[in-house]
Amino acid sequence: MKASVVLAHPYHGSFNHAIYKQIMDSLTVAGIKIFAHDLYVEGFNPVMTVGELGKEPSEDLLVQQYADEMMQSDLLFFVHPNWWGQPPAILKGWVDRVVRPPYAYDLPEGALSGLPVPGLDGKYAVVYNTSNTEEEREVGYFGDPLENIWKQCICGFCGIEKFHRRMFRIVSESSETERNDWLSLVDEDVKRIAGE
Ligand SMILES: Cc1cc2nc3c(=O)[nH]c(=O)nc-3n(C[C@H](O)[C@H](O)[C@H](O)COP(=O)(O)O)c2cc1C
């Protein structure tokens, strides 16, 4: 079994980094091969090129590597904070440039319905988010945009049915004990998912 782990947070001391490290520790214990990427450290350029608008492979070797690893992986982990109800731009650009046809999904010639042929079916996607907004306000007022973006717009579109997401909140008011409990939940998730 193989896993891709993608982190989008610029600060090394962030709780997002602690989640990222916990995922890798838990995957290592489970004996799973890991492709780990801290997008800020790698200096990923999130701006899609004209050449990437179609189905041709990207000319950017890093993008090709990410795509190749994603296709090899059984488990796809994404870790990022809630920024304006969205992933940070660096991860939005990763999705634009890496989750592309014809491998992640395909739109057959002449298909007028716009319905995609899924390419990531069978994979398990796991998303960890952090925020400073109460759940009631996030869901009731904002409409839980990150759940929709990841579950429906990205994973569902590409045929991923096995999906797990957690939002850790409120990070700015959290105690060390609470953050350690959250990391224990990540550990439990990874062990369970790796054993499925
Ligand atoms: C550009 C930016 C936009 C943000 N937008 C939101 C938001 O829409 N909702 C929210 O709850 N928190 C928002 N935040 C706060 C971050 O979600 C919060 O700082 C982060 O989740 C805390 O995790 P960390 O300790 O790993 O940084 C935003 C922060 C930044 C820098």
Side-chain angles (χ1 to χ4, degrees), residues 9 11 13-17 19 80-86 129-134 138 142 167-168 171-172 179:
H9 195 296
Y11 173 50
S14 72
F15 183 63
N16 277 259
H17 277 76
I19 298 171
H80 71 86
N82 180 355
W83 281 7
W84 299 106
Q86 304 159 72
N129 299 135
T130 60
S131 85
N132 290 334
T133 304
E134 293 286 358
E138 190 67 44
F142 294 114
M167 169 71 92
F168 296 113
V171 176
S172 59
R179 289 194 294 275

Side-chain angles (χ1 to χ4, degrees), residues 129-188:
N129 299 135
T130 60
S131 85
N132 290 334
T133 304
E134 293 286 358
E135 182 171 11
E136 190 181 2
R137 180 166 160 77
E138 190 67 44
V139 175
Y141 181 74
F142 294 114
D144 209 358
L146 285 174
E147 178 76 4
N148 190 36
I149 287 170
W150 282 110
K151 191 170 185 185
Q152 275 84 30
C153 300
I154 300 171
C155 295
F157 190 88
C158 297
I160 294 178
E161 291 177 353
K162 291 179 282 185
F163 178 84
H164 177 66
R165 176 173 166 267
R166 282 188 195 272
M167 169 71 92
F168 296 113
R169 56 165 73 91
I170 291 183
V171 176
S172 59
E173 295 171 6
S174 62
S175 64
E176 194 178 340
T177 306
E178 198 170 6
R179 289 194 294 275
N180 284 335
D181 288 346
W182 290 341
L183 293 177
S184 296
L185 289 176
V186 172
D187 183 42
E188 286 168 22

